[in-house]
Amino acid sequence: MKVLMINGSPHPKGNTQTALNEMIKIFDQQNIDTEIIHIGNKDIRGCIACMSCKKNGKCIFDDIVNEVARKFEECDGLVVGTPVYFGSANSTLISFLTRLFYSVPFDKTMKVGASVVCARRGGCSATFDELNKYFTISNMPIAASQYWNCIHGRELGEADRDEEGKQTMRVLARNMTFLMKSIELGKKQFGLPEKEERVFTHFIR
């Protein structure tokens, strides 16, 4: 099994990476393959609602979003990590996730998602909720931990002193592993949930 990890921090070895590293320790113990993709310092533009992806099966901007789309399809779980800026995720990460989730044509049902956020002080829960929305609109179960999936630190290395935050990440990785393995067994025995034809409505009618 494989977990794809997205680091949305501009700093590849910063506090967000510290949190992801704690998860990797557990994934390694559980024989879960991991791959980290660092996108926080990339030049990634936002979606322009051109709808080309619906015809071509990929985003019209042929950048790292399309590269990651192939890896996303193959993985069993997705971890998205970000620092908190003004009570929100890094805007580069949001541009990346919006284009990624909207442009991919494959069914994301029952891929396990997990959000990881890092802040000096406040804004973690708002950012955590923001990232989880990508999973919950995509039929993706969310892995939880013993606390909201956050770690604290501002300067380089400070998150390594947050013992509760690091433990939260390790528990998250164990729970995510359990979910992925359980879902895999369930798919073999029961298959995926039955699909209904999608109904689209608007508030004006």
Side-chain angles (χ1 to χ4, degrees):
M1 308 196 81
K2 182 172 183 178
V3 171
L4 182 63
M5 309 182 85
I6 306 298
N7 184 346
S9 171
H11 308 291
K13 297 182 180 180
N15 291 312
T16 301
Q17 186 62 48
T18 297
L20 298 179
N21 286 341
E22 287 298 309
M23 297 185 71
I24 290 172
K25 292 177 185 177
I26 303 302
F27 287 140
D28 286 346
Q29 293 174 9
Q30 299 291 329
N31 296 315
I32 302 294
D33 293 330
T34 57
E35 180 178 0
I36 294 183
I37 299 177
H38 180 238
I39 62 97
N41 59 1
K42 304 293 185 186
D43 185 12
I44 302 173
R45 66 171 301 158
C47 177
I48 60 170
C50 67
M51 299 299 173
S52 294
C53 59
K54 299 308 172 191
K55 294 182 290 185
N56 302 323
K58 64 178 183 178
C59 184
I60 194 171
F61 302 117
D62 197 16
D63 58 9
I64 194 169
V65 171
N66 287 338
E67 294 176 27
V68 173
R70 295 187 289 271
K71 299 175 184 290
F72 185 18
E73 183 173 13
E74 295 168 358
C75 76
D76 301 286
L78 179 69
V79 177
V80 179
T82 184
V84 174
Y85 298 149
F86 289 93
S88 178
N90 179 9
S91 58
T92 301
L93 176 66
I94 294 301
S95 293
F96 171 85
L97 291 175
T98 300
R99 286 175 50 209
L100 177 69
F101 272 76
Y102 194 74
S103 66
V104 293
F106 60 83
D107 186 4
K108 297 177 281 294
T109 299
M110 294 300 144
K111 290 182 183 291
V112 178
S115 303
V116 170
V117 296
C118 177
R120 176 189 69 86
R121 188 174 177 89
C124 283
S125 58
T127 304
F128 179 60
D129 291 341
E130 178 184 25
L131 294 182
N132 284 338
K133 288 180 173 65
Y134 289 94
F135 306 138
T136 57
I137 202 173
S138 305
N139 292 305
M140 293 175 62
I142 296 176
S145 187
Q146 63 190 16
Y147 193 77
W148 296 299
N149 305 342
C150 63
I151 197 167
H152 289 87
R154 176 184 174 125
E155 301 300 327
L156 181 65
E158 283 186 343
D160 196 46
R161 293 154 50 194
D162 182 3
E163 295 300 331
E164 182 178 357
K166 291 194 297 181
Q167 185 180 63
T168 298
M169 297 304 136
R170 296 192 299 270
V171 172
L172 172 61
R174 292 188 185 97
N175 291 348
M176 189 172 184
T177 299
F178 178 83
L179 264 180
M180 290 188 299
K181 290 181 177 180
S182 298
I183 288 170
E184 184 64 22
L185 289 173
K187 285 194 294 186
K188 290 177 180 177
Q189 184 169 355
F190 304 111
L192 288 172
E194 180 183 351
K195 292 281 187 180
E196 294 187 18
E197 184 177 351
R198 185 71 182 268
V199 176
F200 289 95
T201 59
H202 303 279
F203 289 121
I204 58 172
R205 55 185 166 90

